[in-house]
Amino acid sequence: MSDAVANVSGAAGVPETAAAAGHPETEPENEPEAEKEAEASPTAGLPLRPALEAVLMVVDEPVTAEHLAKVLDRRPREISDALRELSDEYTVQGRGFDLRHVAGGWRFYTRAAYAPAVEGFVLDGQQSRLTQAALETLAVVAYRQPVSRSRVSAVRGVNCDGVMRTLLQRGLIAEAGTEDGTGAILYRTTNYFLERMGLRGLDELPELAPFLPDADAVEGESQEGVPSFDVDDET
């Protein structure tokens, strides 16, 4: 009986001997893939077009296709194609909003045909448009930029300090360095200007520049750096 017990003990010890000889249990081969799936972006599995619409509903300025591609974990070309398809679809359906490529990015806009309805809701009888003086000043800056405040005044024939401050406050123009020789501050239009005008870039401005007088040929004493205290913003 002792021999039988010995044989059973020896048989039972075989697995222990094999393990001791360097044959550990095999590890799961799919562990790296599981970790990769766990690290996947939560936006990767979302339907692309509804995801784009959701993001575009909350942007407050035009957003580029590259930025959208990064957020949604997609290729930029795929995003660009989807955006154009959505824009065409809204136009064909006659929706009250439009998806436009403006100022280097994409954003929803009210379709022009329904502007009166939107104005009636937003303004509710109040007027918040730019004055004629501000529009004229903005046009000079747009076509002559970068341009100094005194040269804008020379083109218009009136002091434009107050109107320029209004345009600065509204974010339609911004400082763009100084003028060589005089040190006068130069101004240019902003991306917000392009956005409000519905333009992709300054090259889409109407061809009006030839009808504006050359500021260098207009005589006028420079008021650059001299504060104005009696300027009427409605000039």
Side-chain angles (χ1 to χ4, degrees), residues 70-83:
K70 181 179 180 181
V71 171
L72 299 178
D73 196 20
R74 303 295 181 95
R75 292 178 292 106
R77 178 60 180 273
E78 185 180 4
I79 295 293
S80 297
D81 291 344
L83 289 168

Side-chain angles (χ1 to χ4, degrees), residues 4-198:
V5 172
N7 290 337
V8 171
S9 300
V14 172
E16 296 179 3
T17 304
H23 297 284
E25 295 184 9
T26 304
E27 304 235 348
E29 296 181 357
N30 60 349
E31 184 174 347
E33 294 181 3
E35 292 179 357
K36 185 176 181 181
E37 290 179 0
E39 296 175 357
S41 170
T43 62
L46 295 176
L48 179 56
R49 288 163 50 126
L52 283 171
E53 291 175 325
V55 173
L56 290 169
M57 284 293 292
V58 299
V59 301
D60 56 4
E61 61 182 18
V63 58
T64 64
E66 289 74 17
H67 189 185
L68 290 169
K70 181 179 180 181
V71 171
L72 299 178
D73 196 20
R74 303 295 181 95
R75 292 178 292 106
R77 178 60 180 273
E78 185 180 4
I79 295 293
S80 297
D81 291 344
L83 289 168
R84 292 190 181 92
E85 290 173 2
L86 284 172
S87 179
D88 293 342
E89 181 178 305
Y90 299 149
T91 299
V92 171
Q93 294 177 350
R95 305 296 288 271
F97 57 88
D98 187 17
L99 179 57
R100 303 182 201 167
H101 185 253
V102 172
W106 293 84
R107 184 183 179 186
F108 282 127
Y109 288 85
T110 303
R111 200 170 294 279
Y114 302 99
V118 177
E119 290 177 359
F121 176 78
V122 175
L123 299 180
D124 193 19
Q126 300 179 3
Q127 296 297 322
S128 60
R129 299 177 180 176
L130 291 174
T131 63
Q132 183 65 30
L135 289 173
E136 292 175 1
T137 302
L138 184 58
V140 175
V141 175
Y143 284 102
R144 295 300 187 192
Q145 62 184 305
V147 63
S148 67
R149 191 169 65 241
S150 62
R151 291 186 180 276
V152 174
S153 297
V155 171
R156 290 200 60 224
V158 294
N159 191 311
C160 296
D161 288 2
V163 180
M164 291 288 285
R165 283 196 297 270
T166 297
L167 297 176
L168 279 168
Q169 291 171 355
R170 296 200 179 192
L172 294 168
I173 64 174
E175 294 184 3
T178 57
E179 189 175 46
D180 294 338
T182 66
I185 298 175
L186 299 175
Y187 297 91
R188 60 169 178 79
T189 54
T190 62
N191 280 338
Y192 180 62
F193 164 78
L194 294 177
E195 179 184 343
R196 299 300 295 175
M197 295 295 292

